[in-house]
Amino acid sequence: MDNEALEMITMHKILKKYMDLNKELIENENNKIPLCAAETYISDFCKQPLLSEFEGKYSFIDKDNKNAFIGGEYVQQLNELLTEECKILFNADYTNADTLTGINCFTVCAMSLISRNDRVLVTTPEQGGHASIPIILNSLGISYDPVPYDYESYQIDYSKINDMCRTQKYKFIIFANRIS
């Protein structure tokens, strides 16, 4: 038997063990009342988005009022539905169903750690950096320079970055690369 066949058999055995373990957990959950504060009950209704095509999708409206992500228009429509439902559910005039993402976390960190008019080094979109980082820095009034980069070898130029850091002009170096 070749290695690929052995790997398939092993994966099948692991999947079978997982399915048995999951079945046992479901039976256990159906026969007990969780009294541990860390175990919260999640209804099937609440789990539904995790089982749908919406799970893991993004929506971002750019300056041209276009969604920057493929399929993002569906997520935007879902957010609008959730916003309306929250208004009814919470008897609120204003609600926002947008999810918090890594970009939200970066923005909070930048607002907390970097002052307006500070200067930072950042990986730019041309270097594989995340396209939103320069936009966020600009909106916060934070000046930045691109990390020195050798485009021929696809490498950061460490000699130049060390020289730039020695000037003490920069408060942080931000490596925020997009995942392809």
Side-chain angles (χ1 to χ4, degrees):
M1 193 177 297
D2 65 357
N3 284 344
E4 191 174 319
L6 286 172
E7 286 179 21
M8 292 299 290
I9 291 170
T10 302
M11 288 189 327
H12 179 72
K13 287 179 181 178
I14 292 170
L15 177 60
K16 172 80 169 91
K17 286 180 181 179
Y18 165 76
M19 292 173 71
D20 290 343
L21 182 62
N22 190 55
K23 181 180 177 184
E24 187 178 325
L25 175 64
I26 290 169
E27 289 172 10
N28 185 53
E29 293 292 311
N30 288 333
N31 295 311
K32 72 170 182 107
I33 300 171
L35 298 177
C36 176
E39 290 187 30
T40 40
Y41 173 76
I42 300 174
S43 70
D44 289 339
F45 175 78
C46 290
K47 291 178 190 176
Q48 189 59 42
L50 297 173
L51 303 173
S52 75
E53 291 300 317
F54 285 106
E55 196 283 320
K57 300 284 187 211
Y58 288 94
S59 175
F60 176 76
I61 306 300
D62 65 17
K63 64 181 183 211
D64 298 323
N65 207 29
K66 292 182 183 167
N67 209 298
F69 290 98
I70 296 170
E73 64 273 11
Y74 298 105
V75 175
Q76 185 63 31
Q77 291 175 54
L78 175 64
N79 286 348
E80 290 168 8
L81 289 173
L82 291 170
T83 295
E84 289 304 310
E85 182 63 25
C86 287
K87 285 180 181 179
I88 294 166
L89 184 63
F90 300 112
N91 192 29
D93 292 329
Y94 306 101
T95 63
N96 183 346
D98 292 325
T99 57
L100 295 178
T101 66
I103 293 304
N104 298 108
C105 294
F106 171 79
T107 303
V108 169
C109 288
M111 292 170 67
S112 301
L113 299 171
I114 308 170
S115 300
R116 185 176 287 278
N117 298 322
D118 277 344
R119 192 163 205 83
V120 298
L121 288 169
V122 65
T123 49
T124 65
E126 298 78 23
Q127 301 166 337
H130 201 285
S132 63
I133 302 302
I135 295 168
I136 293 167
L137 294 174
N138 285 333
S139 70
L140 296 174
I142 299 168
S143 300
Y144 65 90
D145 289 321
V147 165
Y149 194 78
D150 181 347
Y151 289 94
E152 300 223 355
S153 66
Y154 300 106
Q155 293 291 319
I156 292 171
D157 187 328
Y158 292 103
S159 294
K160 286 183 184 175
I161 201 170
N162 286 333
D163 290 342
M164 293 173 86
C165 290
R166 283 187 196 99
T167 68
Q168 298 186 350
K169 287 182 4 184
Y170 302 98
K171 187 157 185 179
F172 288 98
I173 303 173
I174 300 169
F175 295 99
N177 292 349
R178 67 177 179 260
I179 298 173
S180 303

Short mmCIF file of all heavy atoms in Angstrom, two decimals, residues 38-86:
data_model
loop_
_atom_site.label_atom_id
_atom_site.label_comp_id
_atom_site.label_asym_id
_atom_site.label_seq_id
_atom_site.Cartn_x
_atom_site.Cartn_y
_atom_site.Cartn_z
N ALA A 38 -18.88 29.09 32.48
CA ALA A 38 -18.13 29.18 31.24
C ALA A 38 -18.82 28.45 30.09
O ALA A 38 -18.45 28.62 28.94
CB ALA A 38 -16.73 28.61 31.43
N GLU A 39 -19.81 27.63 30.39
CA GLU A 39 -20.53 26.90 29.34
C GLU A 39 -21.86 27.58 29.09
O GLU A 39 -22.80 27.45 29.87
CB GLU A 39 -20.78 25.45 29.77
CG GLU A 39 -19.53 24.62 29.81
CD GLU A 39 -19.84 23.15 30.05
OE1 GLU A 39 -20.92 22.68 29.65
OE2 GLU A 39 -18.99 22.49 30.65
N THR A 40 -21.93 28.30 28.02
CA THR A 40 -23.19 28.96 27.68
C THR A 40 -23.89 28.17 26.59
O THR A 40 -23.27 27.67 25.66
CB THR A 40 -22.95 30.39 27.19
OG1 THR A 40 -21.80 30.42 26.36
CG2 THR A 40 -22.77 31.35 28.33
N TYR A 41 -25.19 28.09 26.74
CA TYR A 41 -26.00 27.40 25.74
C TYR A 41 -26.13 28.29 24.52
O TYR A 41 -26.41 29.48 24.61
CB TYR A 41 -27.39 27.09 26.31
CG TYR A 41 -28.31 26.53 25.26
CD1 TYR A 41 -28.17 25.20 24.83
CD2 TYR A 41 -29.28 27.31 24.67
CE1 TYR A 41 -28.99 24.68 23.86
CE2 TYR A 41 -30.10 26.79 23.69
CZ TYR A 41 -29.96 25.47 23.28
OH TYR A 41 -30.77 24.97 22.32
N ILE A 42 -25.92 27.71 23.36
CA ILE A 42 -26.09 28.44 22.10
C ILE A 42 -27.17 27.70 21.32
O ILE A 42 -27.03 26.52 21.03
CB ILE A 42 -24.78 28.50 21.30
CG1 ILE A 42 -23.70 29.21 22.12
CG2 ILE A 42 -25.00 29.21 19.97
CD1 ILE A 42 -22.34 29.18 21.49
N SER A 43 -28.22 28.43 21.00
CA SER A 43 -29.34 27.81 20.30
C SER A 43 -28.95 27.46 18.86
O SER A 43 -28.01 28.00 18.30
CB SER A 43 -30.54 28.77 20.27
OG SER A 43 -30.27 29.86 19.41
N ASP A 44 -29.73 26.55 18.27
CA ASP A 44 -29.49 26.19 16.87
C ASP A 44 -29.65 27.41 15.97
O ASP A 44 -28.94 27.54 14.98
CB ASP A 44 -30.46 25.08 16.44
CG ASP A 44 -30.13 23.74 17.09
OD1 ASP A 44 -28.97 23.56 17.53
OD2 ASP A 44 -31.02 22.88 17.16
N PHE A 45 -30.57 28.30 16.35
CA PHE A 45 -30.77 29.52 15.57
C PHE A 45 -29.48 30.35 15.55
O PHE A 45 -29.06 30.84 14.50
CB PHE A 45 -31.92 30.34 16.15
CG PHE A 45 -32.11 31.67 15.47
CD1 PHE A 45 -32.75 31.75 14.24
CD2 PHE A 45 -31.64 32.83 16.05
CE1 PHE A 45 -32.91 32.97 13.61
CE2 PHE A 45 -31.79 34.06 15.43
CZ PHE A 45 -32.43 34.13 14.19
N CYS A 46 -28.84 30.48 16.71
CA CYS A 46 -27.61 31.27 16.79
C CYS A 46 -26.45 30.60 16.05
O CYS A 46 -25.56 31.28 15.55
CB CYS A 46 -27.22 31.51 18.24
SG CYS A 46 -28.33 32.62 19.09
N LYS A 47 -26.47 29.29 16.00
CA LYS A 47 -25.40 28.56 15.32
C LYS A 47 -25.56 28.59 13.79
O LYS A 47 -24.61 28.33 13.07
CB LYS A 47 -25.39 27.10 15.76
CG LYS A 47 -24.96 26.88 17.19
CD LYS A 47 -25.03 25.40 17.52
CE LYS A 47 -24.86 25.13 18.98
NZ LYS A 47 -25.03 23.72 19.31
N GLN A 48 -26.75 28.93 13.31
CA GLN A 48 -27.04 28.85 11.88
C GLN A 48 -26.03 29.60 11.01
O GLN A 48 -25.57 29.05 10.01
CB GLN A 48 -28.46 29.34 11.60
CG GLN A 48 -28.91 29.10 10.19
CD GLN A 48 -28.88 27.64 9.79
OE1 GLN A 48 -29.27 26.76 10.54
NE2 GLN A 48 -28.39 27.37 8.59
N PRO A 49 -25.64 30.84 11.35
CA PRO A 49 -24.67 31.51 10.48
C PRO A 49 -23.33 30.77 10.38
O PRO A 49 -22.66 30.86 9.36
CB PRO A 49 -24.49 32.88 11.14
CG PRO A 49 -25.74 33.10 11.91
CD PRO A 49 -26.16 31.73 12.38
N LEU A 50 -22.96 30.04 11.43
CA LEU A 50 -21.71 29.29 11.39
C LEU A 50 -21.80 28.11 10.44
O LEU A 50 -20.78 27.60 9.98
CB LEU A 50 -21.34 28.79 12.79
CG LEU A 50 -21.07 29.88 13.82
CD1 LEU A 50 -20.88 29.26 15.19
CD2 LEU A 50 -19.86 30.70 13.43
N LEU A 51 -23.01 27.67 10.16
CA LEU A 51 -23.22 26.53 9.27
C LEU A 51 -23.55 26.97 7.85
O LEU A 51 -23.75 26.15 6.98
CB LEU A 51 -24.35 25.65 9.81
CG LEU A 51 -24.16 25.13 11.24
CD1 LEU A 51 -25.42 24.42 11.71
CD2 LEU A 51 -22.97 24.20 11.30
N SER A 52 -23.63 28.27 7.63
CA SER A 52 -24.02 28.79 6.32
C SER A 52 -22.81 29.28 5.55
O SER A 52 -21.69 29.29 6.05
CB SER A 52 -25.02 29.94 6.50
OG SER A 52 -24.34 31.11 6.93
N GLU A 53 -23.05 29.71 4.35
CA GLU A 53 -21.98 30.27 3.51
C GLU A 53 -21.54 31.64 4.01
O GLU A 53 -20.53 32.16 3.55
CB GLU A 53 -22.45 30.35 2.06
CG GLU A 53 -22.62 29.01 1.40
CD GLU A 53 -21.33 28.20 1.36
OE1 GLU A 53 -20.26 28.77 1.05
OE2 GLU A 53 -21.38 26.99 1.64
N PHE A 54 -22.28 32.25 4.94
CA PHE A 54 -21.90 33.56 5.47
C PHE A 54 -20.68 33.47 6.39
O PHE A 54 -19.94 34.43 6.55
CB PHE A 54 -23.05 34.20 6.25
CG PHE A 54 -24.12 34.75 5.35
CD1 PHE A 54 -25.32 34.10 5.23
CD2 PHE A 54 -23.91 35.93 4.64
CE1 PHE A 54 -26.31 34.60 4.41
CE2 PHE A 54 -24.89 36.44 3.82
CZ PHE A 54 -26.09 35.78 3.69
N GLU A 55 -20.46 32.30 6.99
CA GLU A 55 -19.38 32.14 7.96
C GLU A 55 -18.03 32.43 7.30
O GLU A 55 -17.71 31.91 6.25
CB GLU A 55 -19.39 30.72 8.53
CG GLU A 55 -18.59 30.55 9.79
CD GLU A 55 -17.09 30.49 9.55
OE1 GLU A 55 -16.67 29.86 8.57
OE2 GLU A 55 -16.35 31.10 10.32
N GLY A 56 -17.27 33.30 7.93
CA GLY A 56 -15.93 33.61 7.45
C GLY A 56 -15.88 34.60 6.31
O GLY A 56 -14.82 34.87 5.77
N LYS A 57 -17.03 35.18 5.92
CA LYS A 57 -17.07 36.14 4.81
C LYS A 57 -16.89 37.55 5.34
O LYS A 57 -17.19 37.85 6.49
CB LYS A 57 -18.40 36.05 4.06
CG LYS A 57 -18.69 34.72 3.45
CD LYS A 57 -17.88 34.50 2.21
CE LYS A 57 -18.31 33.21 1.54
NZ LYS A 57 -17.27 32.57 0.85
N TYR A 58 -16.40 38.42 4.47
CA TYR A 58 -16.14 39.81 4.82
C TYR A 58 -16.95 40.75 3.97
O TYR A 58 -17.34 40.43 2.86
CB TYR A 58 -14.66 40.15 4.61
CG TYR A 58 -13.73 39.53 5.60
CD1 TYR A 58 -13.10 38.33 5.33
CD2 TYR A 58 -13.47 40.15 6.81
CE1 TYR A 58 -12.24 37.76 6.24
CE2 TYR A 58 -12.60 39.60 7.73
CZ TYR A 58 -11.99 38.41 7.43
OH TYR A 58 -11.13 37.86 8.32
N SER A 59 -17.12 41.93 4.51
CA SER A 59 -17.73 43.02 3.77
C SER A 59 -16.97 44.29 4.10
O SER A 59 -16.68 44.55 5.26
CB SER A 59 -19.20 43.18 4.17
OG SER A 59 -19.76 44.30 3.54
N PHE A 60 -16.62 45.04 3.08
CA PHE A 60 -15.94 46.32 3.29
C PHE A 60 -16.32 47.23 2.14
O PHE A 60 -16.05 46.92 0.99
CB PHE A 60 -14.42 46.14 3.35
CG PHE A 60 -13.68 47.44 3.48
CD1 PHE A 60 -13.63 48.10 4.70
CD2 PHE A 60 -13.05 48.01 2.39
CE1 PHE A 60 -12.95 49.30 4.83
CE2 PHE A 60 -12.37 49.22 2.51
CZ PHE A 60 -12.33 49.86 3.74
N ILE A 61 -16.97 48.33 2.47
CA ILE A 61 -17.37 49.30 1.46
C ILE A 61 -16.23 50.30 1.31
O ILE A 61 -15.86 50.98 2.27
CB ILE A 61 -18.68 50.02 1.86
CG1 ILE A 61 -19.79 49.00 2.18
CG2 ILE A 61 -19.11 50.99 0.78
CD1 ILE A 61 -20.15 48.09 1.06
N ASP A 62 -15.69 50.42 0.09
CA ASP A 62 -14.57 51.33 -0.13
C ASP A 62 -15.06 52.75 -0.41
O ASP A 62 -16.26 53.02 -0.39
CB ASP A 62 -13.64 50.81 -1.23
CG ASP A 62 -14.31 50.75 -2.60
OD1 ASP A 62 -15.36 51.40 -2.80
OD2 ASP A 62 -13.77 50.06 -3.48
N LYS A 63 -14.12 53.64 -0.69
CA LYS A 63 -14.46 55.05 -0.88
C LYS A 63 -15.35 55.28 -2.10
O LYS A 63 -16.03 56.30 -2.19
CB LYS A 63 -13.18 55.88 -1.00
CG LYS A 63 -12.34 55.55 -2.20
CD LYS A 63 -11.09 56.37 -2.27
CE LYS A 63 -10.39 56.00 -3.55
NZ LYS A 63 -9.07 56.04 -3.66
N ASP A 64 -15.37 54.33 -3.03
CA ASP A 64 -16.24 54.43 -4.22
C ASP A 64 -17.59 53.76 -3.98
O ASP A 64 -18.34 53.53 -4.92
CB ASP A 64 -15.55 53.79 -5.43
CG ASP A 64 -14.25 54.51 -5.79
OD1 ASP A 64 -14.21 55.75 -5.67
OD2 ASP A 64 -13.29 53.82 -6.18
N ASN A 65 -17.87 53.42 -2.73
CA ASN A 65 -19.12 52.78 -2.32
C ASN A 65 -19.29 51.40 -2.96
O ASN A 65 -20.40 50.97 -3.22
CB ASN A 65 -20.32 53.67 -2.61
CG ASN A 65 -21.47 53.37 -1.66
OD1 ASN A 65 -21.25 52.93 -0.52
ND2 ASN A 65 -22.68 53.58 -2.11
N LYS A 66 -18.16 50.72 -3.21
CA LYS A 66 -18.19 49.36 -3.74
C LYS A 66 -17.66 48.42 -2.68
O LYS A 66 -16.82 48.79 -1.88
CB LYS A 66 -17.31 49.25 -5.00
CG LYS A 66 -17.85 50.03 -6.17
CD LYS A 66 -16.96 49.85 -7.38
CE LYS A 66 -17.48 50.70 -8.52
NZ LYS A 66 -16.54 50.83 -9.60
N ASN A 67 -18.18 47.20 -2.69
CA ASN A 67 -17.71 46.21 -1.72
C ASN A 67 -16.40 45.63 -2.21
O ASN A 67 -16.30 45.16 -3.34
CB ASN A 67 -18.75 45.12 -1.51
CG ASN A 67 -18.64 44.54 -0.13
OD1 ASN A 67 -17.61 43.98 0.22
ND2 ASN A 67 -19.67 44.70 0.67
N ALA A 68 -15.40 45.67 -1.35
CA ALA A 68 -14.05 45.27 -1.73
C ALA A 68 -13.86 43.75 -1.74
O ALA A 68 -12.84 43.28 -2.22
CB ALA A 68 -13.04 45.92 -0.79
N PHE A 69 -14.81 42.98 -1.22
CA PHE A 69 -14.66 41.54 -1.13
C PHE A 69 -15.65 40.84 -2.04
O PHE A 69 -16.81 41.25 -2.14
CB PHE A 69 -14.86 41.05 0.31
CG PHE A 69 -13.76 41.44 1.23
CD1 PHE A 69 -13.89 42.54 2.05
CD2 PHE A 69 -12.58 40.72 1.28
CE1 PHE A 69 -12.87 42.92 2.91
CE2 PHE A 69 -11.55 41.08 2.13
CZ PHE A 69 -11.70 42.18 2.94
N ILE A 70 -15.19 39.77 -2.69
CA ILE A 70 -16.08 38.98 -3.54
C ILE A 70 -17.18 38.40 -2.66
O ILE A 70 -16.91 37.75 -1.66
CB ILE A 70 -15.30 37.86 -4.25
CG1 ILE A 70 -14.26 38.47 -5.19
CG2 ILE A 70 -16.24 36.92 -5.00
CD1 ILE A 70 -13.27 37.47 -5.76
N GLY A 71 -18.41 38.64 -3.03
CA GLY A 71 -19.55 38.17 -2.23
C GLY A 71 -19.86 39.05 -1.05
O GLY A 71 -20.80 38.79 -0.30
N GLY A 72 -19.09 40.12 -0.88
CA GLY A 72 -19.30 41.01 0.26
C GLY A 72 -20.65 41.71 0.25
O GLY A 72 -21.16 42.08 1.31
N GLU A 73 -21.24 41.84 -0.93
CA GLU A 73 -22.56 42.50 -1.00
C GLU A 73 -23.61 41.68 -0.27
O GLU A 73 -24.56 42.24 0.29
CB GLU A 73 -22.97 42.75 -2.46
CG GLU A 73 -23.18 41.53 -3.30
CD GLU A 73 -21.92 40.98 -3.97
OE1 GLU A 73 -20.80 41.42 -3.63
OE2 GLU A 73 -22.06 40.09 -4.82
N TYR A 74 -23.43 40.36 -0.21
CA TYR A 74 -24.38 39.52 0.52
C TYR A 74 -24.21 39.72 2.03
O TYR A 74 -25.19 39.76 2.77
CB TYR A 74 -24.20 38.05 0.15
CG TYR A 74 -24.47 37.79 -1.30
CD1 TYR A 74 -23.43 37.57 -2.19
CD2 TYR A 74 -25.78 37.79 -1.80
CE1 TYR A 74 -23.68 37.34 -3.53
CE2 TYR A 74 -26.03 37.57 -3.14
CZ TYR A 74 -24.98 37.35 -4.00
OH TYR A 74 -25.22 37.12 -5.33
N VAL A 75 -22.97 39.83 2.46
CA VAL A 75 -22.70 40.07 3.88
C VAL A 75 -23.26 41.44 4.27
O VAL A 75 -23.85 41.60 5.34
CB VAL A 75 -21.19 39.99 4.18
CG1 VAL A 75 -20.89 40.35 5.62
CG2 VAL A 75 -20.67 38.60 3.85
N GLN A 76 -23.10 42.42 3.39
CA GLN A 76 -23.65 43.76 3.65
C GLN A 76 -25.16 43.70 3.80
O GLN A 76 -25.73 44.32 4.71
CB GLN A 76 -23.25 44.72 2.52
CG GLN A 76 -23.68 46.14 2.76
CD GLN A 76 -23.02 46.76 3.98
OE1 GLN A 76 -21.91 46.41 4.33
NE2 GLN A 76 -23.72 47.64 4.65
N GLN A 77 -25.83 42.95 2.93
CA GLN A 77 -27.29 42.80 3.04
C GLN A 77 -27.68 42.09 4.34
O GLN A 77 -28.66 42.46 4.98
CB GLN A 77 -27.83 42.05 1.83
CG GLN A 77 -27.75 42.83 0.54
CD GLN A 77 -28.19 42.01 -0.66
OE1 GLN A 77 -29.29 41.47 -0.65
NE2 GLN A 77 -27.33 41.91 -1.65
N LEU A 78 -26.89 41.09 4.73
CA LEU A 78 -27.15 40.40 5.99
C LEU A 78 -27.00 41.37 7.16
O LEU A 78 -27.82 41.40 8.08
CB LEU A 78 -26.21 39.21 6.17
CG LEU A 78 -26.31 38.48 7.50
CD1 LEU A 78 -27.68 37.84 7.68
CD2 LEU A 78 -25.21 37.43 7.62
N ASN A 79 -25.95 42.20 7.13
CA ASN A 79 -25.75 43.19 8.19
C ASN A 79 -26.93 44.15 8.26
O ASN A 79 -27.35 44.55 9.36
CB ASN A 79 -24.46 43.96 7.97
CG ASN A 79 -23.23 43.14 8.31
OD1 ASN A 79 -23.33 42.07 8.90
ND2 ASN A 79 -22.08 43.62 7.92
N GLU A 80 -27.48 44.53 7.11
CA GLU A 80 -28.64 45.43 7.09
C GLU A 80 -29.86 44.74 7.72
O GLU A 80 -30.59 45.36 8.49
CB GLU A 80 -28.94 45.88 5.67
CG GLU A 80 -27.89 46.82 5.12
CD GLU A 80 -28.00 47.06 3.61
OE1 GLU A 80 -28.98 46.60 2.98
OE2 GLU A 80 -27.07 47.68 3.06
N LEU A 81 -30.05 43.45 7.42
CA LEU A 81 -31.15 42.70 8.04
C LEU A 81 -30.96 42.62 9.56
O LEU A 81 -31.91 42.82 10.33
CB LEU A 81 -31.23 41.28 7.47
CG LEU A 81 -31.73 41.13 6.05
CD1 LEU A 81 -31.57 39.68 5.59
CD2 LEU A 81 -33.19 41.55 5.95
N LEU A 82 -29.74 42.31 9.99
CA LEU A 82 -29.46 42.22 11.42
C LEU A 82 -29.64 43.57 12.12
O LEU A 82 -30.14 43.62 13.25
CB LEU A 82 -28.04 41.69 11.65
CG LEU A 82 -27.80 40.24 11.27
CD1 LEU A 82 -26.31 39.92 11.33
CD2 LEU A 82 -28.58 39.31 12.16
N THR A 83 -29.23 44.62 11.45
CA THR A 83 -29.40 45.96 12.02
C THR A 83 -30.88 46.25 12.25
O THR A 83 -31.27 46.75 13.31
CB THR A 83 -28.76 47.01 11.09
OG1 THR A 83 -27.35 46.78 11.07
CG2 THR A 83 -29.02 48.43 11.57
N GLU A 84 -31.71 45.95 11.27
CA GLU A 84 -33.15 46.16 11.41
C GLU A 84 -33.73 45.31 12.53
O GLU A 84 -34.55 45.77 13.33
CB GLU A 84 -33.88 45.88 10.09
CG GLU A 84 -33.63 46.91 9.03
CD GLU A 84 -33.98 48.33 9.48
OE1 GLU A 84 -35.09 48.55 10.01
OE2 GLU A 84 -33.13 49.22 9.33
N GLU A 85 -33.30 44.05 12.61
CA GLU A 85 -33.79 43.16 13.66
C GLU A 85 -33.37 43.67 15.04
O GLU A 85 -34.16 43.63 15.98
CB GLU A 85 -33.26 41.73 13.43
CG GLU A 85 -33.75 40.73 14.45
CD GLU A 85 -35.26 40.52 14.44
OE1 GLU A 85 -35.91 40.76 13.40
OE2 GLU A 85 -35.80 40.11 15.49
N CYS A 86 -32.15 44.16 15.16
CA CYS A 86 -31.68 44.68 16.45
C CYS A 86 -32.48 45.91 16.86
O CYS A 86 -32.75 46.11 18.05
CB CYS A 86 -30.19 45.00 16.39
SG CYS A 86 -29.15 43.52 16.37
#
